[in-house]
Amino acid sequence: MPEQPGKNAIEVRGVRKVFGSGEAAVAALDTVSVSIRENEFFTLLGPSGCGKTTLLRLIAGFDYPSAGEILLYGDDIALLPPFKRPVNTVFQSYALFPHMTVAQNIGFGLEMLRKPKAEVKARVAEMLKLVRMEHLASRRTSQISGGQQQRVALARALAPQPKVLLLDEPLSALDYKLRKEMQIELKRLQNQTGITFIFVTHDQEEALTMSDRIAVMSSGKILQVGSPWDIYDKPADRFVADFIGETNFLTASIAGVENGKARATLKSGATITASVADGFQPKAEATVVVRPEHAKLTKGKAELSGTVENIVYFGTDTHIHVRLDGSNDLFIVRQQNARSAGCGFEAGDKAGIAIGDDAAQVLRD
Amino acid sequence: MAKSFSIRHQPGFTTIAAVCFVALYMPIIVLVVYAFNEAPSTSEWGGFSLKWFQSASQNAQVIDATLRSFQIAAIAATLATIAATMAALATTRTPPYPGLTFKYAMINQPLMVPEIVTGVALLIFFSRIKIFTGYSGLGYLIAAHTAFCIPFAYLPIRARLENMDLSLERAAADLYATPWQAFRRVTLPLLWPGILAGLMLAFVISLDDVVITEFVKSGGQDTLPTYMLGQIRRGITPEINAISTAFLLLSVVIVTLFFFVSRKRD
Ligand SMILES: Nc1ncnc2c1ncn2[C@@H]1O[C@H](COP(=O)(O)OP(=O)(O)OP(=O)(O)O)[C@@H](O)[C@H]1O
Ligand SMILES: [Mg+2]
């Protein structure tokens, strides 16, 4: 991956984390390296057990890496205890102090930093305003709703103005509507404070809508780092392509890779131009992916052809399942719906599938 | 099974329960009743009177033993609670490791080793120290009581700690609290009910002890229970009943407090 401009807030270099020893040893993180830029909304995305929380805990200092370095603005912090790191965490369970009021919770970090009383007071007031909780300042944290607790947890972590804010699935305990609200709220807070956010989620939609960049993880490894567009349109490997959104997998023979583009000959005999994933090793046969909305169904001949098998209506769009001639694989095409018009096809129709020049991506595995 | 099993509907259940209750409470009720006996007998009723309470409260030996009991219980319970709190923190705030179960067993040793064995062992051990140092004060009793009170203080404190979310202490550390500050500002305030419960339990246990005290005490160091034991050897008067009744009342009050404190959440 080419080095990007801008300062790095966090640099994770070759970090391994092994739990247990001997035969029972599990590598929760397997040589992970990633750079997180200043002021960015960075998301760790991956299925359960892939090591997201472990990586976050290493950055927070609740645990220490088995190998590797973690740099915060260039300083290795891997072995510092949590209270010496200018990094704060929003816990999944919120972890608000039950014996303190909302305001005392928010002021806790500043108090521990021995800030003058007046400054603490002013900052707490500012934070309460930022998360719109002024009216509940003197409530016990057990006497406020889940969404409000979430805001307090955010305000508490933001109050000491950390260099980096870590959020471990902070929205997973909220219901759908509140979750959507808090997603917007989080983005607003990040813009307003300019603090670097490292956000953990296993929800790909949440990751795509909120992040500046996303790291997709699987079994202790980072598979791909990129903007939501990169991750969605240019997945590097099968896992990423499959984990995020829906996609069609095709087998193709590759000829001539140049400037990140390749000529891929599909089984139907048609040749298309496809972008090539980073780290692609030239080989005769490779997997090509095409997102359902990047292909077009046509009446005439096109790159692929097949028989319409199933039409599924979704309101905003329609999914048309096509059984491909020759390979017998299923290919899904997504069409935007127009008002009071059908999709133009019926089950049993013969149809062509047009794949544009910029629609396909060759995976590295 | 056709019908769900209910112990209450088994033949003889009510009878057995009644017998147990009578066996448990009848002697105590009789003891309390005869504390108010006018006659100097613990078996023949001679009318209601408070005179035994009065005579007990004016008996210099009783006062002396009571004060000593309280002094030992207060100091031993406090020391035991401090030790138990540290032990509970050390055994719950680390990831489990081999040998942890052994440590639980070590801490709870006084619950398992027969008191008489501990009593004899301490008698021999302390008598040596007495010879070497010449010291023969209350220190020995306090040390012994502290030791056997530790598990009683430890259990409620540990129970409370185990119910406490570890992420609270993590959050404190994350917000720049040093381990000591995290303990002072977060762990301790949330642990108080457990500590108080442990303290009260230890206090009652110390107050009540006979066997170890009997072995460890030097001359003139009677506690209330050993004083009572000595009196009974010479014959029982309702004064003993009166003292027992007062003692019972005190224990009930402390145990009730313990119950409310340990039930308190948050
Ligand atoms: N303290 C531990 N001891 C042993 N194994 C652990 C420990 N913590 C995590 N693991 C293992 O490490 C792997 C990664 O765990 P981690 O909690 O980082 O996953 P995650 O990506 O956060 O998953 P989730 O989405 O379910 O929270 C898992 O296989 C887990 O079982
Ligand atoms: Mg997790």
Side-chain angles (χ1 to χ4, degrees):
Chain A
M1 192 149 298
E3 209 27 65
Q4 308 280 351
K7 256 205 269 183
N8 286 330
I10 293 274
E11 260 180 73
V12 176
R13 288 190 189 158
V15 164
R16 277 175 64 76
K17 178 67 194 178
V18 181
F19 289 111
S21 59
E23 299 229 326
V26 194
L29 288 177
D30 191 359
T31 330
V32 165
S33 296
V34 64
S35 299
I36 294 152
R37 289 178 217 142
E38 188 164 41
N39 297 352
E40 97 178 317
F41 196 115
F42 191 90
T43 298
L44 297 172
L45 172 66
S48 185
C50 70
K52 309 179 293 286
T53 299
T54 305
L55 182 53
L56 217 59
R57 286 167 48 86
L58 294 182
I59 298 173
F62 303 137
D63 216 332
Y64 302 100
S66 312
E69 297 180 308
I70 298 172
L71 307 186
L72 178 75
Y73 288 96
D75 301 324
D76 191 354
I77 56 162
L79 299 176
L80 282 186
F83 59 91
K84 289 191 180 153
R85 302 184 186 205
V87 169
N88 289 153
T89 306
V90 177
F91 293 83
Q92 183 169 359
S93 58
Y94 310 144
L96 298 177
F97 304 128
H99 56 300
M100 299 182 196
T101 64
V102 166
Q104 285 167 338
N105 264 278
I106 297 175
F108 188 84
L110 296 162
E111 221 183 296
M112 292 301 114
L113 288 172
R114 300 182 187 286
K115 300 282 182 208
K117 278 230 165 66
E119 189 187 326
V120 175
K121 216 175 146 201
R123 184 99 185 110
V124 168
E126 191 187 328
M127 284 293 125
L128 282 166
K129 195 158 164 236
L130 188 69
V131 296
R132 307 189 178 113
M133 292 278 297
E134 298 102 316
H135 56 298
L136 297 174
S138 52
R139 282 272 184 95
R140 283 294 171 113
T141 55
S142 52
Q143 299 164 338
I144 57 177
S145 74
Q148 291 165 340
Q149 288 181 14
Q150 171 70 81
R151 281 161 209 270
V152 177
L154 266 167
R156 185 180 71 174
L158 285 170
Q161 290 173 301
K163 295 221 167 90
V164 176
L165 187 73
L166 308 175
L167 306 103
D168 192 357
E169 310 209 24
L171 309 181
S172 62
L174 304 179
D175 62 41
Y176 182 80
K177 197 160 166 284
L178 205 52
R179 208 180 154 113
K180 293 281 152 201
E181 256 175 60
M182 283 308 296
Q183 288 178 2
I184 297 168
E185 183 90 6
L186 271 180
K187 276 304 271 185
R188 178 180 70 84
L189 285 174
Q190 203 248 333
N191 286 334
Q192 235 162 308
T193 57
I195 290 173
T196 310
F197 277 35
I198 306 181
F199 183 84
V200 163
T201 182
H202 58 251
D203 180 341
Q204 43 130 337
E205 189 190 321
E206 194 165 273
L208 290 174
T209 54
M210 300 179 70
S211 320
D212 294 322
R213 286 195 312 148
I214 299 171
V216 183
M217 296 182 69
S218 168
S219 359
K221 287 187 161 61
I222 292 185
L223 300 179
Q224 187 174 3
V225 180
S227 68
W229 297 273
D230 283 342
I231 297 283
Y232 186 81
D233 285 346
K234 299 185 171 147
D237 66 8
R238 185 171 271 271
F239 180 88
V240 177
D242 206 23
F243 188 69
I244 293 156
E246 242 182 312
T247 199
N248 296 296
F249 294 95
L250 301 167
T251 315
S253 55
I254 307 297
V257 180
E258 215 177 299
N259 289 336
K261 297 273 178 190
R263 303 289 300 158
T265 309
L266 303 176
K267 280 203 171 149
S268 66
T271 298
I272 56 172
T273 308
S275 52
V276 176
D278 285 320
F280 175 77
Q281 302 294 329
K283 52 187 161 186
E285 229 177 42
T287 306
V288 171
V289 288
V290 181
R291 294 283 179 196
E293 65 277 20
H294 295 157
K296 241 182 103 175
L297 216 55
T298 62
K299 298 274 184 196
K301 268 191 79 67
E303 280 79 11
L304 292 169
S305 63
T307 313
V308 175
E309 201 169 273
N310 215 347
I311 296 171
V312 188
Y313 179 70
F314 275 97
T316 53
D317 48 29
T318 300
H319 292 193
I320 304 157
H321 300 209
V322 181
R323 183 69 63 186
L324 294 181
D325 293 340
S327 70
N328 227 11
D329 288 336
L330 210 55
F331 192 104
I332 299 171
V333 177
R334 187 184 301 159
Q335 269 188 11
Q336 198 73 30
N337 285 333
R339 195 146 182 237
S340 57
C343 68
F345 293 89
E346 275 177 44
D349 285 358
K350 295 295 282 178
I353 299 169
I355 297 168
D357 264 358
D358 200 24
Q361 158 93 350
V362 183
L363 301 181
R364 66 176 174 223
D365 61 342
Chain B
M1 217 184 285
K3 270 202 254 169
S4 71
F5 178 81
S6 163
I7 185 88
R8 294 180 60 177
H9 296 123
Q10 295 308 302
F13 174 79
T14 317
T15 322
I16 294 171
V19 168
C20 288
F21 270 99
V22 169
L24 265 176
Y25 287 102
M26 210 50 206
I28 296 174
I29 292 169
V30 170
L31 176 135
V32 171
V33 168
Y34 277 92
F36 298 95
N37 195 0
E38 168 76 48
S41 160
T42 53
S43 53
E44 267 168 64
W45 185 248
F48 180 84
S49 151
L50 288 176
K51 74 177 187 193
W52 299 110
F53 285 91
Q54 205 174 10
S55 81
S57 69
Q58 284 161 0
N59 182 335
Q61 276 178 301
V62 172
I63 295 169
D64 181 53
T66 307
L67 289 180
R68 190 172 298 110
S69 272
F70 275 98
Q71 189 190 350
I72 293 169
I75 299 173
T78 307
L79 294 177
T81 306
I82 293 170
T85 305
M86 295 196 285
L89 284 167
T91 50
T92 56
R93 281 346 193 209
T94 66
Y97 55 90
L100 190 59
T101 317
F102 179 68
K103 283 194 188 163
Y104 285 144
M106 293 280 286
I107 293 163
N108 292 324
Q109 175 262 57
L111 296 180
M112 289 176 281
V113 176
E115 254 195 282
I116 188 87
V117 175
T118 311
V120 172
L122 288 177
L123 175 69
I124 298 166
F125 184 60
F126 285 156
S127 66
R128 281 291 159 86
I129 300 181
K130 270 181 210 174
I131 292 166
F132 275 122
T133 61
Y135 172 74
S136 61
L138 272 186
Y140 300 107
L141 274 177
I142 290 170
H145 278 228
T146 303
F148 70 70
C149 282
I150 285 175
F152 295 95
Y154 173 77
L155 292 175
I157 296 172
R158 181 180 141 200
R160 179 94 191 165
L161 271 173
E162 278 180 343
N163 284 330
M164 233 169 83
D165 191 355
L166 252 181
S167 67
L168 292 176
E169 284 145 298
R170 265 201 209 116
D174 189 59
L175 293 162
Y176 314 105
T178 60
W180 172 246
Q181 284 173 318
F183 176 73
R184 267 277 299 112
R185 299 290 309 271
V186 176
T187 316
L188 196 58
L190 295 170
L191 194 56
W192 258 129
I195 293 178
L196 271 183
L199 184 75
M200 281 192 260
L201 205 56
F203 189 82
V204 174
I205 296 290
S206 162
L207 217 51
D208 187 43
D209 182 73
V210 178
V211 178
I212 291 177
T213 312
E214 192 65 41
F215 278 94
V216 172
K217 74 183 167 73
S218 308
Q221 289 188 343
D222 264 322
T223 62
L224 197 54
T226 60
Y227 167 78
M228 287 162 71
L229 191 65
Q231 290 301 299
I232 289 168
R233 288 203 187 109
R234 284 187 242 145
I236 307 176
T237 65
E239 189 177 297
I240 289 292
N241 292 37
I243 298 168
S244 299
T245 304
F247 208 168
L248 174 68
L249 192 70
L250 178 75
S251 292
V252 168
V253 168
I254 296 178
V255 172
T256 311
L257 273 177
F258 162 79
F259 180 71
F260 279 110
V261 167
S262 59
R263 260 198 352 169
K264 189 172 162 263
R265 290 276 161 244
D266 285 318

